[in-house]
Amino acid sequence: MAINPKFILKNTETHNETSIKFYFYLNKRRFMYSLGSDQRIFPELWDKVMMRPIIKPNKTMLSKYKKLNPSIEVDLKNLDTRINNVIGQTTKFISNAEIQGHMIDLKALREHLDNSFGVIKKGTVKASYDSVEAYLDEFISDIESGKRIIKSNQREGKRYSIGTIKAYKVLAAKLEEYRKTKRKAYLKFNDIDIDFYNDFQQYIYSKNFSTNYFGNFIKNIKAIMKKSFDEGLHTNNDFSKKAFKKISNDTDSIYLTEAELTKLHNYDFKNAPKLEKYRDIFLVGCWTAQRFSDYSRISEIHIKDKNGIKVLEMDQVKTSTKVIVPLNPEAIEILAKYNNTLPKVSEQKMNSNLKEMGKLLDINETIEIKKSKGGLEIIEQIPKHDLIMSHTARRTGCTLMYLSGIPLQDIMKISGHKSETQLLKYIKVTKEETALRLADNPFFSGKKLKVV
């Protein structure tokens, strides 16, 4: 049985390369098959009538696309060959089925084409991927839909968080920006080496972004490269080299002192009623030392009574770690005000309202902070109220617990941190506060040391 094979572009409006789809009708059944993410073409180089790549573009067009892809002529010929081979393999499969008297199974035809062109599926990812961006796009789609779930660490078996999905989307956008500035058609897995690391770092710094911003990109690039490496999509393991590392600078994130927290708690917002609920939510975050993703969703199901003591009991969104936090009288009072279910607010609005609150309460101590911009360290002086944000609650809680003498191991059980090293990054104690805390120690006070 003869078929009428047709080839169309997935996107004819784009200025970037697009994938190609093959289809035909058989007994009123339509069969459609993608040639693979490694078989892409710029729409201008596609002959719509012949449904083939333009093998010999004119000199102007050739010069234009050679700047984007130096091997464009070879790639066009290879693509034409792939199209002919797809038609050949399809015709062969249908002919064999007819000779043997079998009904033509389109699912089996798809598997036949996959095997013929090395498109071996592992999980949900095609092993024919040679483009980091194509793999990343499908990875993002899969973790958004739930096709891919976490397969390691304490969250194994759970879906990726909204924050993680957002981080990968930002990475995808930034890689596309970077690739376009380098006039590359696409980034191959083998392109991700130490030279790429250094060049990408300079690109990020040229945009005046921080060291930590670059470091977070590298963390996610390493994750993508490892996943694709483990799936057998490439053999490039430069991402595991010591020089290919996530770098970071310590941040000077602030916390609120006990006096500032008390001032915030006691302030009468009758002249600014819209701020009151944001204040209340933030205070509960401070007194429980949780992330915004957790303290902002506290409801009555999370408030438990343990032997006459009211506690907050919940599984943290980011890590799935179960925490049980004793609630102080002030937190209990605020929660009761909202029937133990805090109002729902966005983090963006929370941040803007917190800055407004800080300014209203004259939390305006000048803070000298170090920032990394474009790879250079600069020092800025900023009023404290401009630095208050949703995450300040967690730092405030951890720091005030530490200053009150609660052991680190106990704070970790409340905050959900897995190590003292992680926790200590959250504790923001000045040298003056450390000195005052230690002043009563016998070593400094002059009191006689106990003999053990």
Side-chain angles (χ1 to χ4, degrees), residues 46-60:
W46 180 257
D47 188 324
K48 295 180 181 178
V49 177
M50 301 301 294
M51 293 183 287
R52 290 288 191 282
I54 300 172
I55 302 298
K56 294 182 179 180
N58 61 54
K59 289 183 179 180
T60 302

Side-chain angles (χ1 to χ4, degrees), residues 70-316:
S71 61
I72 189 69
E73 293 171 287
V74 174
D75 288 349
L76 289 171
K77 290 179 182 178
N78 289 340
L79 178 55
D80 191 61
T81 300
R82 170 64 68 88
I83 288 174
N84 291 330
N85 288 341
V86 166
I87 295 173
Q89 288 295 334
T90 302
T91 303
K92 178 182 176 181
F93 179 89
I94 292 174
S95 296
N96 287 340
E98 289 178 333
I99 291 171
Q100 296 175 31
H102 295 160
M103 186 178 75
I104 298 169
D105 185 340
L106 295 183
K107 182 178 179 180
L109 170 59
R110 186 178 304 279
E111 291 176 356
H112 172 74
L113 293 176
D114 282 348
N115 292 331
S116 298
F117 301 109
V119 185
I120 304 169
K121 293 186 177 181
K122 293 188 176 183
T124 59
V125 183
K126 295 186 180 70
S128 63
Y129 280 147
D130 193 32
S131 163
V132 176
E133 291 170 281
Y135 178 86
L136 181 55
D137 285 345
E138 184 153 326
F139 176 80
I140 291 170
S141 175
D142 286 350
I143 63 178
E144 261 191 315
S145 67
K147 286 183 180 179
R148 273 184 184 260
I149 56 175
I150 297 171
K151 295 184 179 179
S152 61
N153 72 39
Q154 66 271 26
R155 297 195 68 227
E156 183 171 0
K158 296 187 177 294
R159 292 183 63 167
Y160 286 81
S161 69
I162 294 173
T164 299
I165 295 170
K166 181 180 178 181
Y168 278 115
K169 285 184 175 180
V170 173
L171 171 62
K174 200 59 61 180
L175 284 177
E176 183 179 12
E177 286 177 19
Y178 166 78
R179 172 179 57 76
K180 287 180 178 178
T181 65
K182 300 302 172 182
R183 296 180 178 276
K184 294 176 73 74
Y186 56 92
L187 289 171
K188 297 181 180 180
F189 286 116
N190 286 339
D191 290 333
I192 310 302
D193 54 16
I194 301 302
D195 288 337
F196 161 83
Y197 178 98
N198 293 329
D199 198 47
F200 187 60
Q201 183 178 37
Q202 291 306 311
Y203 172 75
I204 294 299
Y205 286 171
S206 73
K207 301 296 182 181
N208 228 20
F209 290 122
S210 69
T211 298
N212 289 350
Y213 193 69
F214 167 71
N216 285 329
F217 282 140
I218 292 301
K219 178 188 75 171
N220 288 330
I221 288 172
K222 287 171 69 72
I224 286 297
M225 289 298 290
K226 186 178 188 308
K227 290 177 191 299
S228 51
F229 180 88
D230 291 344
E231 290 165 9
L233 305 189
H234 62 89
T235 58
N236 175 19
N237 66 350
D238 275 18
F239 68 90
S240 64
K241 291 181 178 178
K242 189 175 181 180
F244 203 113
K245 63 180 180 180
K246 175 192 174 183
I247 57 176
S248 63
N249 283 337
D250 287 338
T251 60
D252 291 304
S253 303
I254 54 103
Y255 77 97
L256 298 189
T257 65
E258 190 171 352
E260 289 168 337
L261 209 60
T262 301
K263 185 178 182 181
L264 183 59
H265 176 244
N266 294 335
Y267 191 84
D268 187 351
F269 282 99
K270 63 182 179 182
N271 294 325
K274 72 164 188 172
L275 296 178
E276 187 172 348
K277 70 176 179 180
Y278 291 97
R279 183 272 309 271
D280 291 344
I281 298 169
F282 178 76
L283 285 176
V284 172
C286 292
W287 288 321
T288 58
Q290 300 304 303
R291 299 178 185 87
F292 176 80
S293 57
D294 294 314
Y295 72 75
S296 64
R297 65 185 180 89
I298 292 175
S299 68
E300 58 183 349
I301 65 170
H302 301 122
I303 311 303
K304 305 290 176 67
D305 189 293
K306 304 283 185 181
N307 297 322
I309 299 172
K310 282 197 178 298
V311 300
L312 169 71
E313 183 176 330
M314 66 183 347
D315 292 331
Q316 294 179 326

